[in-house]
Each structure stands twice: as structure tokens, then as C-alpha cells.
Amino acid sequence: MGDGKGALEVLAMTQLANPDPSFWHGKRVLLTGHTGFKGAWLALWLQRLGAQVVGLALPPATVPSLFELAQIASSCQSHLGDIRDAAALAALVQRSQPDIVLHLAAQALVRASYRDPVSTFATNVMGTVHTLEALRTVDSVRAVVVVTTDKVYQNLEHSFPYRESDALGGHDPYSASKAASEIAIASYRASFLAERQVAVASARAGNVIGGGDWSEDRLIPDAIRAWDAGQALQIRRPQAVRPWQHVLEPLCGYLRLAEQLVAQPALAGAYNFGPQTHEAATVRDVVQLAQHTYRRGEVAWGDGSEGPHEAGWLALEVAKARTQLGVAPRWTLAQTVQRTMDWYRRCGSGTNAAAACTDDIVAFEAAAGTP
């Protein structure tokens, strides 16, 4: 019994591993999508870890943007460009000679994909292909993490979480484009990059929230805009269930995944990142938590009939990330929403955005010691 308890204690601790500064210090990292919400957070964390970051992305899509507020361009070599431009992307890869590639650039909005499916497929599929193709001509790269989405699975609306081995699919153009990019990733890994000792993995993350997101058609940004303007937040599908998580949860996973790919290239493959299954929650749950933390906010609840098709129930199985990478969710949904709304309230009162992000990163890293 004593040995068994000790093993459980060791497992509990290994579930909460932080990125290793000794690994990242001095590493040349190509980060695509660094002007976006997740990309800006990741650029800040990589800077904190001592990495040399080269960023490639379109100009920020929103005003305001975390990229501008946190002055991300001053913390990395920032290049504005389009991953659909294969020649320009390949030239940047040749110049930067990265050790690690973190590919986040994407068209990441479901409703936008209905409005412009061609651009969505061009960015998410061919942009990924261009990135992987460019890596065939350099010898520096050891690991590649391509971020896709939790929506790559053929969603059968069943009541158990999706595993990495489940069938890919996609009803809407966004989901379909990300599922197609998963097939391209697997093809490039098997056909070209594995033989060059380049370990390639895909990261499928659940619904991400956190300070600094002002994207359209996302729950928390929509809430902030509506409530700060004294308007009611319009909710289309209050009963939709999603695997909500703080932005630092999957970013920690991406960094740990890259570290492990360098140490053990055989770990290449697909990985889910999300909350524990019981923490998947409805839109209504998240909105009510946000109201409580933000201390204001009217809501107009829809009946689920408005707009194009969106999945009603989605959750991820995250055991593979826990056992192979040593990462596991560390903030509950309530903590995640509170930290998110506190970020917006603090920055709205004059706190520097980069400092607010750093405070959350420090708190997240500290939470690794309290499983």
C-alpha cells in the first residue's frame, strides 16, 4: 500500500510540469501567428524563458490587440506576412534557421469560415503545408508543433470525450479545414520530416479564454464589449457545452510538447489539450461566472436556433498529454473565468497589459506545486 501511494503522489506531481527554462534559453523559435491572442501570450512566455523568437503573422486583426498593448514586437523579431505566401515563408525559414517551430497562424473563427470558406481553407490547409514544406530545406529544426483545434473530430454529439484516435471530420468550413490540415501534417511527418529527424506533432486545444482577446464571435470578448457599452450580451446557444480552459493551459502544453519531441522524437503525433471532462461546461455556466466576477452585465438568452450549424456538445480526453508530457489542467473553470475577467478589469483601469500577462504566467507556474 505504501508503494502504491508513493506512485500516485509522483504521478500527481508529474501532471503539473512547467516549461523548462534551461531548454528554451537561447533556442531559436519560429512562431507563426504571434500577432493573435494566443500567439501574443506565447511570445511573452517564450521571452520570459529566454528564447530567441522570430514571429510571422498578418497585422493584428482587432483594435485593441494584445500584440500592440503588450508591445510584442519589441520582444521578438516581428515580421508581418502571410503564410499563404509560400516563397516569403520559405525565405524567412532559411534566414532564421529555427530550432523549434510553433505554428499558430490560422483563420480561427467558425462563423467567419462560413462567410469566407475559400480563405479559411487556403490559410488553414495550404498555410500549414507551406510551413511544413519550408522545413524540408533546413537542417536546424528539431521539433514542430502545429496547433489545430478540438473541432477536428467528426462530432457525433455523443456524451463521452474525443480521443486522439477518433475519426476526423468537420461540418463547418473551419472545422473541416483544420481536420484536413491534420491529414497534411501526418503526411508530411511520414513522407518527409521523420527521415530528417524532425519530430512533428499536432495540438488540439479546447475553447481558450483569457485576458487580451478581442476577437469577434467569441464569448468573453463579446461579453466585455457589450457590458462595457452598457448593452445586453446576445447569447445564441446557452446550452452548448465546450471544454473551456485558460489560455496558459494549452500554451504550457505546446511548450512541453516541443521539449519532449526533442528529447523523444517517437512521441510525434496528435495531442489533446483541455480541461478534465467534468469541467466541460455550458455557455450559460461561463457567462454566469463572468457576470459574478465582472460584477455587471445583462444577457439576452437565445434558444439555439439562430445562425449556422455549431456543435452542441464537445469535450476532450486529455490523458495522453498527462501521461506523455507531464501536463494536466491546473485551474478550475471558476478560477479561469475569474482570472480572465480580472485581467480585463485591471487593464481597463490602467494596468500594463504585459505586466498583467506576466502576473498570470507567474501564478500559473506557481500552481504547478499545488496539484
Side-chain angles (χ1 to χ4, degrees), residues 90-237:
L92 180 60
V93 169
Q94 286 290 343
R95 292 197 305 272
S96 59
Q97 293 289 306
D99 302 305
I100 308 292
V101 176
L102 304 173
H103 178 49
L104 276 66
Q107 194 299 97
L109 300 171
V110 172
R111 284 163 67 90
S113 78
Y114 280 108
R115 295 193 296 269
D116 192 353
V118 173
S119 178
T120 298
F121 277 96
T123 299
N124 294 349
V125 181
M126 291 311 300
T128 298
V129 169
H130 292 162
T131 302
L132 297 174
E133 178 67 17
L135 303 182
R136 295 177 60 191
T137 62
V138 295
D139 296 325
S140 60
V141 180
R142 297 273 61 85
V144 183
V145 176
V146 182
V147 176
T148 60
T149 177
D150 58 346
K151 297 173 181 63
V152 297
Y153 296 105
Q154 181 182 354
N155 195 317
L156 303 176
E157 301 284 352
H158 52 46
S159 58
F160 52 83
Y162 290 97
R163 300 164 297 178
E164 290 86 349
S165 57
D166 285 333
L168 299 174
H171 183 286
D172 59 88
Y174 168 70
S175 301
S177 71
K178 286 293 194 173
S181 72
E182 286 276 357
I183 297 173
I185 294 162
S187 173
Y188 264 81
R189 178 171 53 236
S191 300
F192 307 115
L193 296 174
E195 65 186 25
R196 295 178 59 85
Q197 287 74 56
V198 179
V200 182
S202 61
R204 305 167 179 177
N207 285 50
V208 172
I209 61 177
D213 189 5
W214 283 277
S215 300
E216 64 170 338
D217 290 331
R218 285 189 182 157
L219 183 59
I220 296 300
D222 284 351
I224 295 295
R225 279 188 288 266
W227 295 343
D228 283 354
Q231 300 172 352
L233 171 64
Q234 304 294 318
I235 296 296
R236 298 185 302 273
R237 293 175 172 82

Side-chain angles (χ1 to χ4, degrees), residues 24-59:
W24 291 100
H25 185 78
K27 283 287 192 304
R28 299 185 304 275
V29 180
L30 174 61
L31 171 61
T32 72
H34 70 300
T35 62
F37 163 55
K38 289 170 69 176
W41 273 93
L42 190 50
L44 285 170
W45 204 347
L46 285 165
Q47 179 194 32
R48 175 178 168 80
L49 293 167
Q52 300 175 15
V53 179
V54 176
L56 175 66
L58 295 172

